[in-house]
Structure formats: structure tokens, C-alpha cells
Amino acid sequence: MPTDQGFSSLIPMVLIFLIMYFIVFMPEQKKKKQLKKMISELKKNDQVVTSAGIHGTVAIVKDKTVILRVDDNVKMEFDKEVIVSVEKQG
């Protein structure tokens, strides 16, 4: 009989873990996949925003970095991972 009581007290813990997985971890994984896909599809003239809030236009796409045009004669090089959103596709 004691094993039945132990098993029945384990069920709520398993249910809580499953609920947390579907509420917290699954959406986070989906968001990471979308961000990775967005970064892999960057191309020249895309308007992007970095994690620091810098808005710019993609001038050159390299393997691990991008060069953004942030003003008429100002270009800055950033790691691709700091791009958080594409505002407008070129």
C-alpha cells in the first residue's frame, strides 16, 4: 500500500513539469528557431535592429558578421547574433 501513495504523490509533480515544459520551454525553442532562420536569410538592404537598439541597413553579409550602414557614411560591423529583428526586407 505505501507504494501506491508514493506514486500518487508523484503524479502532480510530473504534471507540473509537463505544463511548465509546454508553457515555457517550447515557445522559447520555437522563438530561437525563428531567430536563427531570420539571421541565416539576411541579405543586402534588409533594415534590421540590433540588441543594443541600433537601427541600420545591411550593407555586407559575411559568414559570422554583418556590416550595417547606420548613417550616410557610417558603417559598423556586428556579429550576426546581435540582430534581433528585421524591420523591412530589402
Side-chain angles (χ1 to χ4, degrees):
M1 213 50 152
T3 56
D4 289 339
Q5 186 179 9
F7 180 70
S8 64
S9 66
L10 185 62
I11 291 174
M13 293 298 286
V14 170
L15 288 175
I16 289 172
F17 177 75
L18 288 174
I19 291 169
M20 288 295 292
Y21 177 79
F22 285 110
I23 291 176
V24 177
F25 297 117
M26 269 185 71
E28 188 66 30
Q29 289 176 349
K30 186 176 179 182
K31 187 176 180 181
K32 282 182 183 179
K33 265 188 194 177
Q34 289 174 336
L35 184 61
K36 193 173 186 176
K37 182 178 182 241
M38 178 193 68
I39 287 173
S40 69
E41 294 175 349
L42 280 176
K43 60 188 178 301
K44 187 175 180 174
N45 295 325
D46 284 349
Q47 293 183 354
V48 299
V49 179
T50 68
S51 59
I54 298 173
H55 294 249
T57 305
V58 176
I60 300 171
V61 178
K62 297 181 179 180
D63 287 337
K64 296 187 181 216
T65 62
V66 292
I67 297 178
L68 299 182
R69 185 173 50 249
V70 293
D71 200 8
D72 291 336
N73 295 319
V74 180
K75 292 182 180 176
M76 300 172 72
E77 187 167 5
F78 293 93
D79 286 339
K80 285 184 177 180
E81 287 79 30
V82 302
I83 305 295
V84 293
S85 69
V86 176
E87 296 294 312
K88 194 187 304 182
Q89 301 264 326

